[in-house]
Amino acid sequence: QTFQTLGASTDVRFDLNTSSSIGGTLVSRALTISYDAAVKSYTVSFPGTSKTFMPGDIQTPVTAGETRYKKTGSSGNDYLTLVTTPYSANTSNKYVGLGYFQQNTVASSTQSNSFDAFVYGFPTPNGAVPRSGTGKYATDVFGFATFPGHQPSSFVGRGAFTTDFGTGEFLTQTSVTETNLVTGSSVVGGGLEVSGSGRLATDGSFSGSALYGGQNGRIAGTLSGKFFGPGAEELGASFSGSTAAGATVTGAITAQRDTSLPNVNLTMANLVAAQLFYPVNAHLTVLYHPSTGAIHSASTYQVVSQFNYKGGGAFDYSPGLSNLAGGAFTEAMKVTAPDANFIRYQTSFGGTPVTLDLYKP
């Protein structure tokens, strides 16, 4: 069987003397992968290239759920890795697989790499993609990142993908462990993650923006994917991004339906879970003359405040300036707003009267 893939591709050059990236660019390659059942081989094809990997090309030791192939040629090495069991879980995917294909060539002290991350399998028929309700999926992410002047790294992690099948919004976020491909050292935490958001299309696919946060910087890009299995039991996607300085990221996501995952807010108009927001605030402070009412002075500030939504219309709000009152707001504090486009709260904190208007999304 021949599978069309959802893939992302990059071409990168490395200085072998320093083991660091020189620079990279995103490229477009329409990659297909074919399985020959008679000889149990896989062939990776895109315009100008066709590479077949036989059982004799399998690298040992073999890890359950992952098969690594290597072919050595006169100009360099070709690698193909196929993954059916997520790196961050023990349950194998049934309908979607993850793969990455790499070609290395060396000239003098420069190594050129082409790297493709992709997903493939059995897509969900358009008519079988749900059109209502919420879909929650546990994600497995794998990718490859390069920053000029730094050694290349791979990353892997487990997170969540949530979508509202009715409205079409989706949100995904995965914390990752980043591993230096030269030294083998790893780092985790501190904002290392892959995140993305966007919308479902009428054909059951989805696309949007993606952001990779690595130890050497952040790279913005795009993400595209689709659902797999007869009833959208799984999903797969690829993502990529680059910077003007030549940093690149390329990766893929597979995911399995998991109803036990916590609810996630997808839109401001339908908050379904507690969440802490960090609004950027512009403050105006005006002092008036006590007898004439004339303005004595005025000043402005820009600060970051905290809006801690707790559910059920309750939240804590801290304005971000010590001389401004803030605290807990509840449904009981609501009053009729003079503008129907707003929800008004009135209360007092420490004897200071406070009015807060929230625009209705």
Side-chain angles (χ1 to χ4, degrees), residues 44-355:
V44 175
S45 303
F46 52 84
T49 297
S50 180
K51 299 289 183 178
T52 298
F53 296 86
M54 304 294 293
D57 299 321
I58 294 176
Q59 300 295 288
T60 57
V62 176
T63 303
E66 179 193 63
T67 306
R68 293 176 290 117
Y69 298 85
K70 177 183 178 181
K71 291 182 71 71
T72 300
S74 58
S75 59
N77 298 323
D78 299 326
Y79 302 88
L80 173 66
T81 302
L82 299 177
V83 183
T84 55
T85 300
Y87 287 119
S88 58
N90 297 320
T91 304
S92 296
N93 297 327
K94 292 183 178 180
Y95 307 106
V96 63
L98 180 149
Y100 43 103
F101 175 62
Q102 180 178 331
Q103 293 183 296
N104 296 355
T105 58
V106 176
S108 185
S109 62
T110 300
Q111 176 174 305
S112 298
N113 282 31
S114 65
F115 181 82
D116 298 82
F118 60 89
V119 294
Y120 68 105
F122 306 101
T124 303
N126 185 27
V129 176
R131 303 299 175 183
S132 63
T134 300
K136 295 187 285 187
Y137 296 80
T139 58
D140 183 66
V141 172
F142 176 85
F144 173 65
T146 64
F147 291 83
H150 296 274
Q151 297 176 359
S153 60
S154 65
F155 54 88
V156 63
R158 187 166 181 81
F161 179 105
T162 304
T163 184
D164 185 327
F165 285 113
T167 62
E169 288 89 1
F170 76 82
L171 179 71
T172 184
Q173 187 167 18
T174 299
S175 297
V176 298
T177 299
E178 187 178 286
T179 301
N180 187 301
L181 294 178
V182 178
T183 66
S185 62
S186 297
V187 292
V188 65
L192 299 181
E193 65 179 9
V194 172
S195 59
S197 62
R199 295 186 61 83
L200 277 61
T202 56
D203 63 358
S205 64
F206 54 87
S207 62
S209 60
L211 181 67
Y212 171 69
Q215 63 176 323
N216 295 315
R218 291 152 63 91
I219 306 175
T222 59
L223 174 152
S224 62
K226 62 178 59 176
F227 297 94
F228 290 80
E233 293 87 352
E234 298 173 357
L235 63 82
S238 64
F239 58 92
S240 62
S242 63
T243 69
T248 65
V249 64
T250 311
I253 302 170
T254 62
Q256 302 172 4
R257 182 79 71 97
D258 187 347
T259 57
S260 69
L261 291 171
N263 293 327
V264 174
N265 295 316
L266 296 175
T267 68
M268 293 300 297
N270 183 29
L271 296 178
V272 296
Q275 185 166 343
L276 176 60
F277 298 92
Y278 292 93
V280 177
N281 288 19
H283 287 289
L284 169 65
T285 300
V286 181
L287 299 181
Y288 296 92
H289 194 281
S291 59
T292 65
I295 294 177
H296 179 267
S297 64
S299 58
T300 60
Y301 305 86
Q302 279 190 304
V303 297
V304 176
S305 63
Q306 290 191 3
F307 184 96
N308 190 7
Y309 178 73
K310 296 183 174 181
F315 56 90
D316 293 341
Y317 179 66
S318 173
L321 285 177
S322 60
N323 63 337
L324 294 178
F329 291 81
T330 66
E331 287 280 318
M333 299 174 183
K334 284 184 177 179
V335 298
T336 300
D339 186 333
N341 291 318
F342 287 83
I343 303 170
R344 172 162 288 189
Y345 295 78
Q346 283 188 336
T347 186
S348 63
F349 298 112
T352 301
V354 171
T355 298

